[in-house]
Amino acid sequence: MHTMLTLDLSHLDGFVSQEQLTAMADEVAAAHAKLYDSSAPGSDFTGWVRLPEAYDKEEFDRILKAAKKIRSDSEVLVVIGIGGSYLGARTALEIFPSDGPDICFVGCSLSPNEIQKVMRRIGNRSWSINVISKSGGTIEPAIAFRIFREHLEKKYGAEANSRIYATTDKARGALKSVADKNGWETFVIPDEVGGRFSVLTAVGLLPIAVSGTDINELMAGAAEAMEKYDLRSMDNPVWQYVAARNLLYRQGKKIEIFCNYEPSYTFFGEWLKQLFGESEGKDGKGIFPASVQLTTDLHSMGQFIQDGERILFETVIYVDDTGCDVAVPHCDDDGDNLNYLAGKPMSFVREMAFQGTLAAHHDGGAPAMVLRSPKMNARTLGELFYFFELSCGISGHVLQVNPFNQPGVEAYKKNMFALLGRP
Ligand code: PA5
């Protein structure tokens, strides 16, 4: 077993006690069991729980082959998708930038500027499209796909069909029909895996594989996490995290701020916000997920976290070894008075900022949990994805909501389509 994350609860001192955590065991156990109970709310959408071992190996090989082809025939890959069909791949790409094609994301807004920017970015280079939509009918990616497909067909004619990869439902939806009609290579988003839990399906895996990141390692990290975090006791860090965040919520800490100290993890915060926001925010309940990037946001949001309304707690994702370090140089004149740090690595300065911030926020009434990852690699990212997916599934059941539906997102669509005059 190589899983490596550690959860530190010491900064909950005075807010959540060991006794309170222990007392949550039965509640968390019952919530965990619901993920395997076919009569539990949302039980049709728990395919992600065993996904790291139960994924389609034949399709996985096709993903690797398609990625190889795209890397060899395309200087640009345009990935079209939104929400759960976008955030996971973008998260991984921000952490591990592509060493192959330039990968652009579009279809995650209704901004004509974004379309134009990506068009310019493609320029005269060779390119392909990966369009991702489980329903096949979401308006943002559908419009973007219509535009980029036309653009691709103008350049390549009939060859365009071998440059479009569609990730969608196995049988239903407009995208599946048009893909079959045109002979595009398709990848499946399994019925039992909802969008925000789909990063370890072709939704995330194809763009990640094209970027050059080892998706075998990503899946291996998730598989190890799946085994390790299935432990049914309060020794399980997932149980501790779930219990603590629900205890904090019950004492009025209604906002969870996901913090990171590594800018390339900023998008991980976006992925987490969708995961928890869409899973828990319903029936008038839920912890509001927010995110900050530190130390950057200590100079913007730091004031509120330290001193504003005491309704928040922090969950810090801290990566120890980000793969490089830079020492503070010595300067003879020491005009900036920084020679006391000369020779010290920036990672040391960051660690001290992190420790100082944790203590200050705790003293100011903002408790924190720290999830530490020793390294920044595909394996730990796989583990992180799974840690939070499992935490979210269990936590939603502790909160007594259906963590796997999203009825609230329909309301605006109804109004929008009425205004657009959809027949
Ligand atoms: O998590 C979800 O279900 C949503 O965020 C969807 O992923 C998002 O709305 C995109 O849907 P689709 O993949 O059907 O285009």
Side-chain angles (χ1 to χ4, degrees), residues 82-85 133-135 138 195-196 274 278 406:
I82 195 166
S85 291
S133 178
K134 187 172 184 185
S135 61
T138 307
R196 59 192 173 274
Q274 186 202 3
E278 230 171 29
Q406 52 282 330

Side-chain angles (χ1 to χ4, degrees), residues 81-87 132-141 167 189 194-198 203 274 278 404 406 409 412-413:
I82 195 166
S85 291
Y86 156 62
L87 288 162
I132 310 171
S133 178
K134 187 172 184 185
S135 61
T138 307
I139 195 158
E140 294 90 340
T167 306
I189 310 172
R196 59 192 173 274
F197 290 85
S198 70
V203 169
Q274 186 202 3
E278 230 171 29
F404 309 117
Q406 52 282 330
V409 302
Y412 92 90
K413 288 186 192 167

Side-chain angles (χ1 to χ4, degrees), residues 204-382:
L205 295 179
L206 180 58
I208 296 172
V210 172
S211 78
T213 292
D214 186 345
I215 57 172
N216 277 299
E217 278 292 293
L218 188 75
M219 292 307 274
E224 285 170 3
M226 184 187 82
E227 205 186 315
K228 172 173 160 186
Y229 300 131
D230 196 37
L231 180 69
R232 308 299 171 102
S233 90
M234 263 307 160
D235 291 334
N236 181 344
V238 165
W239 280 35
Q240 293 166 14
Y241 172 58
V242 167
R245 69 194 293 282
N246 279 281
L247 285 164
L248 289 163
Y249 176 62
R250 289 172 195 176
Q251 54 180 267
K253 302 284 189 204
K254 300 204 184 247
I255 298 174
E256 176 173 21
I257 306 183
F258 293 104
C259 314
N260 71 76
Y261 281 79
E262 173 51 48
S264 58
Y265 279 70
T266 299
F267 240 85
F268 194 72
E270 298 303 308
W271 180 80
L272 285 166
K273 285 193 284 192
Q274 186 202 3
L275 183 69
F276 283 96
E278 230 171 29
S279 300
E280 293 194 318
K282 53 196 71 159
D283 307 339
K285 297 192 262 191
I287 299 170
F288 184 85
S291 66
V292 291
Q293 201 272 304
L294 304 179
T295 59
T296 312
D297 293 337
L298 290 176
H299 303 264
S300 57
M301 292 299 287
Q303 170 61 37
F304 194 111
I305 299 172
Q306 183 69 42
D307 213 15
E309 197 173 351
R310 301 296 71 197
I311 49 170
L312 48 91
F313 66 95
E314 293 176 303
T315 297
V316 184
I317 295 116
Y318 194 85
V319 184
D320 285 304
D321 176 3
T322 56
C324 69
D325 219 334
V326 176
V328 179
H330 175 85
C331 182
D332 282 342
D333 67 18
D334 198 23
D336 51 11
N337 300 315
L338 281 177
N339 269 353
Y340 75 104
L341 290 176
K344 295 267 193 305
M346 280 185 77
S347 61
F348 167 78
V349 182
R350 183 184 61 196
E351 174 77 29
M352 295 306 109
F354 162 55
Q355 296 297 347
T357 303
L358 275 177
H361 288 179
H362 176 270
D363 294 349
M369 289 179 267
V370 179
L371 192 63
R372 262 189 116 118
S373 176
K375 284 198 180 310
M376 183 163 128
N377 57 31
R379 194 171 276 250
T380 54
L381 183 61

Side-chain angles (χ1 to χ4, degrees), residues 11-29:
H11 298 277
L12 296 182
D13 195 30
F15 294 89
V16 171
S17 67
Q18 189 51 52
E19 292 67 37
Q20 286 173 303
L21 282 176
T22 310
M24 287 289 286
D26 288 348
E27 225 176 302
V28 179

